[in-house]
């Protein structure tokens, strides 16, 4: 198949694997030979490296990003009767942990240009029951952490960052994850730093919180076979930690490549009838996704599909309209989140996307 007709995937993990194969194979082999697969030296080393990368004192590896948020909320004492404010325009994995704790997720609207939570909407949603706010740094760009931190400090709320899509980005020079009481990461394979299975991490400046999360992730146990709290089995395993340690060394370079690809898209789509992503300029956008808005979104998606070009709608249904939460939020209208769900489409985005692939995608988008 020629390059002009070959399918273009949303994400090409194979190209990235080919780049790091010798390093990855060597690291995995070392873990196999060590026969230490759970809570071993790889996870400990990764925790140290991620804490350093994020500029915080502590990091705790967990099984996935959803668990990272769940354990952070549990360790903060969030429970029944409490409310946690978050964005309606995100993956369900942001909200499930609030429900796992028996607390109530309170969904608020987004800023239409960045897709991130609107701090004014957060402020308006605070009640005496509010205990925490979870901003999501959606698609690879930080939410307004200055306003959110000021608000949380003033109202005595915990700021828990959902950094699942944003590792490596910053807000005014502070890497995401370090602005609030806890930063929660996912290492799902498609993330900017992805492992080859499930993985996650909580970063924090608070040693006590980190210790509590370590206990919760390991069956509520501080000392083996002594259990003082009902915990969970949600540890990060050694194979995933070893893979992540290899890839972390290249993360900044891979994020820079994503930015280059995004800017190439912007140039080629300048005259097209779509709205290209807006960078707020307060930090680096790391383009987990390159997401357009289009008044003809469904036609655009169909044209891409016909040309064998991958595309995805992140997210077609805002959380207050999802079946699981619908009953609680029947009368809630969040126009910006609803409008985004009806108009967004994400284009192929990965560090090894070629110029020719970008041109082909843009030709199709421009023709709709
Ligand atoms: C914004 C957001 N929050 C939470 C999660 C949950 O992460 P995981 O899939 O690792 O549980 C994801 C990942 O898919 C995500 O994109």
């Amino acid at each position: 198949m020629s390059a002009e007709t070959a399918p273009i995937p949303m994400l090409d993990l194979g190209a990235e694997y080919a780049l790091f194969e010798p390093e990855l194979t060597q690291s995995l082999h070392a873990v196999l030979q060590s026969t230490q697969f759970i809570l071993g030296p790889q996870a400990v080393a990764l925790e140290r490296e991620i804490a350093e990368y994020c500029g915080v004192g502590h990091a705790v590896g967990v099984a996935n990003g959803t668990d990272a948020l769940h354990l952070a909320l549990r360790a903060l004492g969030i429970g029944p009767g409490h409310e946690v404010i978050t964005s309606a325009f995100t993956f369900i994995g942001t909200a499930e942990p609030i429900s796992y704790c028996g607390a109530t997720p309170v969904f608020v609207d987004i800023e239409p240009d960045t897709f991130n939570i609107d701090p004014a909407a957060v402020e308006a949603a605070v009640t005496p029951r509010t205990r925490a706010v979870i901003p999501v740094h959606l698609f690879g760009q930080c939410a307004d952490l200055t306003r959110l931190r000021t608000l949380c400090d003033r109202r005595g709320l915990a700021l828990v960052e959902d950094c699942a899509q944003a590792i490596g980005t910053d807000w005014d020079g502070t890497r995401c994850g370090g602005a609030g009481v806890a930063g929660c990461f996912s290492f799902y394979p498609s993330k900017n730093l992805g492992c080859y299975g499930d993985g996650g991490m909580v970063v924090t400046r608070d040693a006590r919180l980190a210790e509590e999360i370590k206990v919760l992730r390991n069956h509520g146990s501080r000392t083996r076979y002594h259990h003082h709290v009902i915990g969970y089995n949600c540890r990060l395993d050694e194979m995933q930690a070893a893979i992540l340690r290899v890839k972390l060394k290249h993360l900044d370079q891979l994020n820079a490549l994503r930015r280059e690809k995004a800017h190439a898209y912007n140039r080629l789509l300048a005259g097209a009838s779509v709205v290209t992503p807006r960078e707020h300029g307060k930090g680096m956008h790391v383009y987990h996704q390159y997401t357009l808005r289009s008044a003809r979104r469904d036609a655009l998606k169909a044209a891409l599909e016909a040309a064998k070009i991958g595309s995805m709608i992140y997210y077609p249904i805002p959380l207050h309209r999802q079946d699981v939460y619908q009953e609680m939020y029947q009368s809630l209208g969040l126009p910006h989140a609803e409008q985004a769900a009806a108009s967004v489409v994400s284009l192929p985005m990965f560090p090894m996307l070629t110029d020719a692939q970008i041109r082909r995608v843009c030709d199709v988008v421009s023709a709709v």
Side-chain angles (χ1 to χ4, degrees):
M1 202 175 293
S2 78
E4 289 87 63
T5 54
I8 303 175
M10 266 305 279
L11 172 68
D12 186 353
L13 285 177
E16 200 180 280
Y17 177 62
L19 210 61
F20 308 131
E21 186 176 1
E23 270 183 279
L24 287 167
T25 312
Q26 200 182 19
S27 296
L28 286 174
H29 200 234
V31 174
L32 288 172
Q33 280 183 320
S34 78
T35 69
Q36 195 167 356
F37 300 114
I38 306 282
L39 293 181
Q42 293 295 327
V44 171
L46 179 71
E47 288 172 346
R48 196 178 53 243
E49 287 159 8
I50 294 271
E52 202 171 296
Y53 185 81
C54 293
V56 298
H58 311 275
V60 185
V62 294
N64 54 65
T66 312
D67 284 342
L69 286 160
H70 180 205
L71 266 54
L73 295 179
R74 271 286 310 267
L76 286 164
I78 308 290
H82 297 155
E83 294 174 355
V84 177
I85 301 172
T86 194
S87 169
F89 192 58
T90 177
F91 180 59
I92 188 87
T94 305
E96 283 169 319
I98 304 169
S99 301
Y100 296 163
C101 292
T104 303
V106 174
F107 299 119
V108 300
D109 216 345
I110 54 169
E111 298 171 332
D113 52 352
T114 64
F115 305 111
N116 277 328
I117 197 165
D118 178 354
V122 175
E123 173 113 56
V126 175
T127 76
R129 289 179 298 282
T130 310
R131 290 293 177 278
V133 177
I134 307 181
V136 182
H137 305 317
L138 202 72
F139 302 148
Q141 180 168 240
C142 276
D144 186 335
L145 287 171
T146 305
R147 289 174 69 192
L148 291 168
R149 196 163 43 184
T150 305
L151 167 64
C152 286
D153 288 350
R154 190 158 36 83
R155 305 295 292 258
L157 308 173
L159 179 63
V160 177
E161 296 173 67
D162 182 340
C163 307
Q165 303 189 2
I167 192 160
T169 189
D170 67 296
W171 177 264
D172 255 351
T174 300
R175 280 242 165 87
C176 77
V181 64
C184 300
F185 293 87
S186 164
F187 303 130
Y188 186 78
S190 62
K191 299 299 194 243
N192 290 32
L193 179 64
C195 55
Y196 294 159
D198 275 309
M201 182 99 37
V202 184
V203 300
T204 180
R205 297 176 195 280
D206 181 337
R208 191 206 56 79
L209 193 74
E211 195 47 43
E212 193 60 31
I213 294 169
K214 278 186 182 166
V215 169
L216 286 170
R217 77 173 170 185
N218 192 28
H219 297 289
S221 165
R222 224 179 282 278
T223 309
R224 208 166 199 189
Y225 303 126
H226 291 68
H227 307 274
H228 63 281
V229 62
I230 292 293
Y232 306 88
N233 175 359
C234 51
R235 304 161 298 218
L236 177 69
D237 73 66
E238 287 288 284
M239 300 280 245
Q240 304 308 335
I243 291 161
L244 290 164
R245 291 188 68 205
V246 170
K247 292 175 78 175
L248 179 61
K249 286 189 271 173
H250 304 281
L251 178 63
D252 288 345
Q253 184 199 350
L254 296 177
N255 278 344
L257 283 170
R258 284 175 180 269
R259 285 175 62 73
E260 262 179 52
K261 312 299 165 186
H263 295 161
Y265 271 137
N266 287 348
R267 282 192 297 278
L268 291 170
L269 292 175
S273 57
V274 291
V275 181
T276 53
R278 180 180 159 252
E279 293 189 14
H280 54 43
K282 281 293 217 166
M284 205 175 61
H285 196 319
V286 295
Y287 288 99
H288 175 58
Q289 299 297 339
Y290 182 87
T291 303
L292 299 175
R293 276 175 190 277
S294 165
R296 307 192 58 223
R297 189 265 307 276
D298 295 341
L300 177 53
K301 188 153 186 0
L304 289 164
E305 206 169 310
K308 299 199 188 73
I309 295 169
S311 66
M312 289 293 278
I313 293 171
Y314 301 117
Y315 295 92
I317 306 173
L319 295 188
H320 64 297
R321 293 277 178 260
Q322 291 286 350
D323 284 351
V324 280
Y325 290 125
Q326 180 128 326
E327 223 164 87
M328 291 163 69
Y329 298 107
Q330 260 165 9
S331 59
L332 181 66
L334 299 174
H336 295 311
E338 287 155 29
Q339 232 271 314
S343 62
V344 290
V345 59
S346 299
L347 300 182
M349 172 49 73
F350 49 91
M352 278 39 133
L353 200 60
T354 66
D355 289 348
Q357 286 175 318
I358 292 173
R359 269 196 306 277
R360 255 183 70 202
V361 175
C362 292
D363 283 348
V364 173
V365 173
S366 302
V368 173

